[in-house]
Amino acid sequence: MKTSYSGLAVIHTRPASMNVIVEPGRIAAGNRVVELAETATICIRAAGQRRYNDQRYRIVGEGTASPSGWNGEDIRGTAGMPYQRMVPGSLQVYSKDREKRYVPEADYTQDSYWGTIKRHPQGEIGADQELSIDYAVWLCRYDAIVLQEDGTIRVVEGDSEAPESRELLLPEPPAAATGFVLAHVFTGWGQSCIHGGGSLVAADRSSSLRSPDWLPVLTGRYEDMVERTYVVEVGAAEGDSEGHYQVRIGATGEDYGTSQNLTIDQLRWTEAKPLPHDRKVPLLLQSAYRYPVSWGLELDFSPSGSDANVDLSGTYKVTAYPEMIFDRRQALDGSDPLDVIPLERRGHLDGFRDKLASGLPVRIAFFGASNARHGLWPAQVVGALRQTYPRAAISTSVIAYGGEEMRHGRHRFRHEVLSVAPDLIVMEYFINDVCYGRPEETEEAARYLLQSMRDAGIPCILLTNNGANPLFSGNGSSSSFRRYHELYRRLAAEYEVAFVGGYGYFSNLHTFGKYFMTELKGNMVNHPYGIVDRNWGLFDRVLSGAILKMLL
């Protein structure tokens, strides 16, 4: 049944508040027409926080200064690690019997973003000591804005925790049993108003050789959930007379991992660097983790036409607002993630399919890093193949190591992969290659591996999969992931192997009604499946579905 709509946009209020506005409009579904005659204003309940008291925790690691950084993934809650996104300032650390309260920065360091506590080497907490801790954690939630059959608007609230109590508090959008979902609204982590995204550019320059109204062009999507103002200072390079510039950037807003809020008067600046040759400057937040973080925006300072001689010197400000309202009107007829995943050179796998159909034994080698080792998608792929080809004896070799990059895998390939005589190799190193951040080394290793597979006559599926939290790595921006996605895609075409570009889905999660961070279920870093309940999360099902579309 074809569904069409007009109007019905869900937007934020001006000024932003915890209300959203639904504009008038109508939906036509077959012979039915549902109309919202007047603007509706809907109040969204704040996600709030949850208190945890007397949580037993065995100290892991040492730190000399807060924020402590990530501490490795583990179960959360009682007898596990604290939940991530602790409310800054809420942590209190006691001895196991609660007779002694320890002093922050003297006895331990902490990190409110990653939810970590580490003993200070000069403090009174011993290695491996069991503690009692109190803290509060920010909650987050999706709500669905639904147009009902009677023309009224209702809010379907989602959960603020996982089905398994020790998973991270990263929710899924709720399902609406009836009516038409117009938008998902994401709230949480201390947010007190709802923004609809967008950004503004302004300049305060002392001089210009041409138009004083000239501004650089802002590109990209802002992917953070904090309103920030970026201050970009552009000045002539010291001692330069040929029009070369240097750039440094500061940003306001929540200072992740600490209890601070950076203001215009307290900016933490990036190191001043030359303006790139292409004059495109990623907007960077100099994080408390001592490396700059990109949340997706870029300023293009390339003058053109009548602006070719403009003096770029000056101070530019970009105010960026989080995208918390995810439009779902375009999905009223349904949406398929496979539509945004490149699936290329299916014919490369014809021989493998023929062998499956003949009933001969086959072996699949899953070669890569942690998502191949611990994710569900390899088992989902093999399970579906066994169901489709019941006569074939399908065996696997999962040759994957957490944290490994392709440059490591090349040294294991002949001894560990070729030795098992696979009939198909599914190669997945994408995330770690990106965060390593040296594309020339990745390309060299990829060429060696793909040529070795070609020489051995073994078909290959080269994968890109989910992205990562850019706060975890200075190389973890969405632009870095796109660059590697295209590198993998180009190499797959050159060596004529099959390509499944799962990152095409991850980079478009906003069009499917989700904030990308909530897809990283296992660790809020790079794992889109639960650490306790591997079925917690949808990404692996999408990825396995894409692979199966190539194989079946």
Side-chain angles (χ1 to χ4, degrees):
M1 178 176 59
K2 182 68 175 175
T3 302
S4 61
Y5 69 90
S6 61
L8 298 173
V10 180
I11 61 175
H12 64 281
T13 60
R14 298 180 186 276
S17 67
M18 287 304 293
N19 293 336
V20 296
I21 296 170
V22 185
E23 296 180 336
R26 60 169 52 193
I27 287 176
N31 297 323
R32 294 176 299 152
V33 175
V34 181
E35 184 172 8
L36 179 67
E38 298 179 351
T39 297
T41 300
I42 306 297
C43 182
I44 302 297
R45 185 176 61 86
Q49 55 182 269
R50 182 175 299 153
R51 186 83 197 168
Y52 291 90
N53 293 320
D54 195 17
Q55 300 284 289
R56 296 307 169 92
Y57 174 65
R58 190 174 296 280
I59 197 77
V60 176
E62 290 187 354
T64 57
S66 299
S68 306
W70 190 55
N71 211 19
E73 64 177 291
D74 204 341
I75 60 174
R76 300 282 163 164
T78 302
M81 296 175 68
Y83 282 101
Q84 292 169 7
R85 300 307 303 260
M86 288 193 296
V87 176
S90 68
L91 177 67
Q92 298 179 28
V93 178
Y94 299 89
S95 58
K96 181 180 178 181
D97 59 11
R98 297 183 69 87
E99 292 294 320
K100 180 176 181 57
R101 181 175 172 181
Y102 294 105
V103 180
E105 307 311 315
D107 294 320
Y108 65 91
T109 60
Q110 59 187 299
D111 192 308
S112 60
Y113 187 88
W114 294 113
T116 55
I117 309 166
K118 297 180 182 180
R119 64 181 291 271
H120 196 292
Q122 276 77 55
E124 295 189 25
I125 297 175
D128 205 38
Q129 181 177 334
E130 190 171 349
L131 305 170
S132 172
I133 60 174
D134 300 343
Y135 62 96
V137 64
W138 292 122
L139 301 176
C140 59
R141 191 184 73 247
Y142 288 97
D143 294 343
I145 308 300
V146 181
L147 175 63
Q148 300 188 105
E149 296 280 354
D150 62 2
T152 60
I153 297 293
R154 69 185 177 106
V155 177
V156 178
E157 284 196 358
D159 294 324
S160 56
E161 58 184 276
E164 158 57 45
S165 65
R166 292 191 175 188
E167 300 292 1
L168 291 180
L169 304 177
L170 300 176
E172 286 290 324
T178 60
F180 303 93
V181 177
L182 304 178
H184 292 155
V185 178
F186 179 78
T187 57
W189 299 328
Q191 294 156 331
S192 59
C193 57
I194 296 167
H195 292 284
S199 49
L200 300 172
V201 186
D204 177 18
R205 294 178 292 154
S206 58
S207 65
S208 174
L209 296 181
R210 304 294 294 232
S211 168
D213 298 323
W214 183 87
L215 288 173
V217 176
L218 184 67
T219 60
R221 281 185 63 254
Y222 184 56
E223 298 170 327
D224 200 359
M225 274 292 158
V226 171
E227 177 185 345
R228 299 190 189 277
T229 295
Y230 290 85
V231 181
V232 183
E233 289 190 352
V234 181
E238 186 175 350
D240 178 75
S241 60
E242 300 181 1
H244 296 153
Y245 298 92
Q246 284 195 318
V247 180
R248 70 170 188 163
I249 305 171
T252 67
E254 182 180 350
D255 190 29
Y256 288 136
T258 75
S259 58
Q260 294 180 315
N261 196 63
L262 301 174
T263 67
I264 288 291
D265 298 324
Q266 299 172 311
L267 296 177
R268 183 188 295 122
W269 294 95
T270 63
E271 178 186 353
K273 291 188 176 181
L275 183 70
H277 291 299
D278 63 4
R279 298 201 168 184
K280 295 179 180 179
V281 178
L283 293 187
L284 300 176
L285 167 68
Q286 186 66 26
S287 73
Y289 303 104
R290 293 174 292 283
Y291 52 77
V293 174
S294 169
W295 288 102
L297 293 177
E298 183 177 78
L299 275 180
D300 187 349
F301 283 88
S302 304
S304 61
S306 61
D307 295 321
N309 296 319
V310 70
D311 182 358
L312 304 180
S313 299
T315 299
Y316 304 82
K317 292 183 180 180
V318 177
T319 302
Y321 301 96
E323 181 182 1
M324 302 166 66
I325 303 172
F326 298 93
D327 191 356
R328 299 299 291 146
R329 292 173 297 167
Q330 74 281 2
L332 290 171
D333 271 329
S335 57
D336 187 351
L338 298 191
D339 291 340
V340 296
I341 296 179
L343 303 174
E344 297 170 354
R345 283 168 300 283
R346 185 176 184 274
H348 173 67
L349 306 172
D350 286 346
F352 178 75
R353 273 191 299 274
D354 291 343
K355 195 167 185 179
L356 277 173
S358 71
L360 293 172
V362 298
R363 179 175 295 276
I364 303 173
F366 294 97
F367 178 42
S370 58
N371 279 359
R373 184 174 184 85
H374 300 295
L376 283 177
W377 60 269
Q380 291 168 347
V381 167
V382 173
L385 290 178
R386 285 172 175 158
Q387 187 172 15
T388 304
Y389 299 100
R391 293 192 303 118
I394 303 172
S395 54
T396 64
S397 294
V398 179
I399 307 164
Y401 296 83
E404 186 172 88
E405 298 122 32
M406 202 177 288
R407 66 193 176 102
H408 300 125
R410 67 173 294 178
H411 299 297
R412 297 191 295 104
F413 179 74
R414 293 195 176 277
H415 179 69
E416 295 190 41
V417 181
L418 284 187
S419 63
V420 303
D423 299 283
L424 172 67
I425 296 172
V426 182
M427 187 159 66
E428 179 276 315
Y429 276 109
F430 180 61
I431 302 162
N432 291 351
D433 283 347
V434 176
C435 291
Y436 178 58
R438 297 186 182 179
E440 68 286 349
E441 290 188 30
T442 295
E443 181 169 349
E444 179 184 359
R447 288 185 177 279
Y448 171 83
L449 290 167
L450 293 171
Q451 185 61 52
S452 297
M453 294 176 202
R454 175 187 281 182
D455 293 344
I458 303 172
C460 170
I461 299 176
L462 184 60
L463 294 180
T464 67
N465 45 353
N466 58 278
N469 184 342
L471 197 67
F472 182 71
S473 167
N475 298 315
S477 67
S478 56
S479 60
S480 296
F481 275 88
R482 284 194 299 272
R483 183 163 57 250
Y484 276 79
H485 174 81
E486 292 304 324
L487 170 63
Y488 272 44
R489 191 175 189 179
R490 173 170 57 82
L491 291 171
E494 181 179 340
Y495 285 88
E496 300 179 306
V497 301
F499 178 73
V500 174
Y503 186 69
Y505 171 59
F506 189 87
S507 63
N508 281 285
L509 281 171
H510 57 286
T511 68
F512 292 87
K514 295 184 73 172
Y515 178 49
F516 78 97
M517 199 74 73
T518 66
E519 194 75 19
L520 303 174
K521 305 295 189 186
N523 54 11
M524 215 166 70
V525 176
N526 61 354
H527 288 171
Y529 45 82
I531 186 172
V532 180
D533 176 7
R534 298 291 183 189
N535 286 294
W536 174 229
L538 301 177
F539 188 86
D540 277 20
R541 293 175 226 172
V542 172
L543 186 62
S544 63
I547 297 170
L548 287 166
K549 190 169 182 178
M550 294 284 280
L551 287 172
L552 297 178

